[in-house]
Amino acid sequence: MMAYEHILAERRGDVLVLTLNRPERLNAAPPEMFVELRGAIGNLDGARAVLVTGAGRAFCSGADLAGGALGGDDPAGATYLALTESYNPTMAAFADLAVPVVSAVRGPAAGIGCSLALAADFCVASDTAYFLQAFVNIGLVPDGGASWMLPRLVGKARATEMMMLGERVLAPRALEWGMIHRVVVDEALDEEAFALAERLAAGPTMALGLMKRGLNHSFENGYEATMLREAENQRAARGSADSMEGGMAFLQKRKPAFKGA
């Protein structure tokens, strides 16, 4: 794997593990970190699932406002460029990724870190985790797709609460609200999240990718358009080797051995 400045990238079997690696700053994210993330998922090299986590006691405390990249003589312009050229394209790349993504969250997932954690197909949280839309506390507005994502996850009222009150949503409440997949004790987080990523990596990769893109498509399209998209996706999946293997395994009453093809 390539060496990066702000993240670690490690291939563990069929899972690509990406670790935000600025623990001394609670993994506060400069724009370059998101550029590195986008580069890492741009060449999966056969990986069939991605796990995103943070080094140390935090997932990500938000954008690195103290690092200089979002300041200078024109902080408003610098922030706009960072969002449109770094953060947002990376969030879009994760949304369009053709393999499942799992996030493993301990400690804070704040600001852009909250968006990144919740953009995963499955978010597994430690009992130390919390999710925070902190923007209102510094006179800013949500970004990284939060305004699109949160109301779809938790509804408009709860999304408004998170954004306008700027209070922490602890992991148990996030689970209760349907924001995340699972809460585990902190000591088990890494093992549980990787086991889930490994399970997904052993699945029918094409079908899982089509499911993911189909769900995203359905948010912006009507019933008939969604059914047409399903038919197109089903045609693509039906022609895969994994579909053939799944059918044979069903007839032979055995567990399928999907190869991701």
Side-chain angles (χ1 to χ4, degrees):
M1 302 298 297
M2 287 183 59
Y4 297 98
E5 182 181 357
H6 301 297
I7 68 171
L8 300 174
E10 176 191 6
R11 183 70 175 270
R12 295 175 57 186
D14 288 327
V15 179
L16 174 61
V17 181
L18 301 177
T19 304
L20 312 183
N21 192 35
R22 303 183 77 212
E24 73 286 354
R25 298 294 308 279
L26 298 181
N27 299 316
E32 295 79 11
M33 177 185 281
F34 272 61
V35 172
E36 291 179 1
L37 286 170
R38 188 162 77 252
I41 64 174
N43 181 19
L44 292 173
D45 193 26
R48 295 166 61 189
V50 174
L51 173 63
V52 184
T53 187
R57 58 190 180 91
F59 179 75
C60 175
S61 57
D64 185 8
L65 297 178
L70 304 182
D73 296 332
D74 182 15
T79 299
Y80 178 83
L81 287 177
L83 285 167
T84 56
E85 296 181 2
S86 300
Y87 298 112
N88 291 356
T90 298
M91 298 300 298
F94 271 105
D96 195 50
L97 197 62
V99 301
V101 178
V102 177
S103 60
V105 180
R106 60 167 44 89
I112 194 68
C114 181
S115 294
L116 179 62
L118 298 180
D121 302 296
F122 294 86
C123 179
V124 182
S126 154
D127 53 12
T128 70
Y130 63 87
F131 302 84
L132 177 62
Q133 290 291 301
F135 302 95
V136 68
N137 300 325
I138 54 173
L140 294 176
V141 300
D143 59 28
S147 301
W148 185 92
M149 185 187 309
L150 283 173
R152 287 165 169 79
L153 286 173
V154 301
K156 181 176 180 291
R158 286 169 172 164
T160 302
E161 177 182 336
M162 287 187 70
M163 293 177 181
M164 292 192 178
L165 298 183
E167 297 173 346
R168 297 179 180 185
V169 177
L170 303 182
R173 176 167 288 185
L175 181 65
E176 176 188 334
W177 282 4
M179 189 188 304
I180 62 176
H181 171 62
R182 188 187 310 170
V183 178
V184 301
V185 296
D186 189 67
E187 296 79 7
L189 176 65
D190 298 328
E191 180 181 352
E192 292 276 351
F194 181 76
L196 176 58
E198 198 171 39
R199 173 181 173 181
L200 291 164
T205 305
M206 178 186 288
L208 292 173
L210 290 170
M211 286 179 201
K212 174 176 178 170
R213 290 171 170 173
L215 282 167
N216 289 336
H217 174 272
S218 72
F219 284 135
E220 302 301 326
N221 291 273
Y223 186 45
E224 291 187 2
T226 298
M227 288 192 293
L228 177 59
R229 179 65 174 257
E230 288 174 343
E232 293 167 348
N233 288 346
Q234 196 73 296
R235 177 172 58 189
R238 192 69 181 88
S240 69
D242 278 346
S243 173
M244 183 174 295
E245 164 63 12
M248 291 297 296
F250 176 79
L251 293 173
Q252 297 170 4
K253 302 186 186 308
R254 60 174 174 82
K255 184 176 179 179
F258 296 120
K259 302 298 183 184

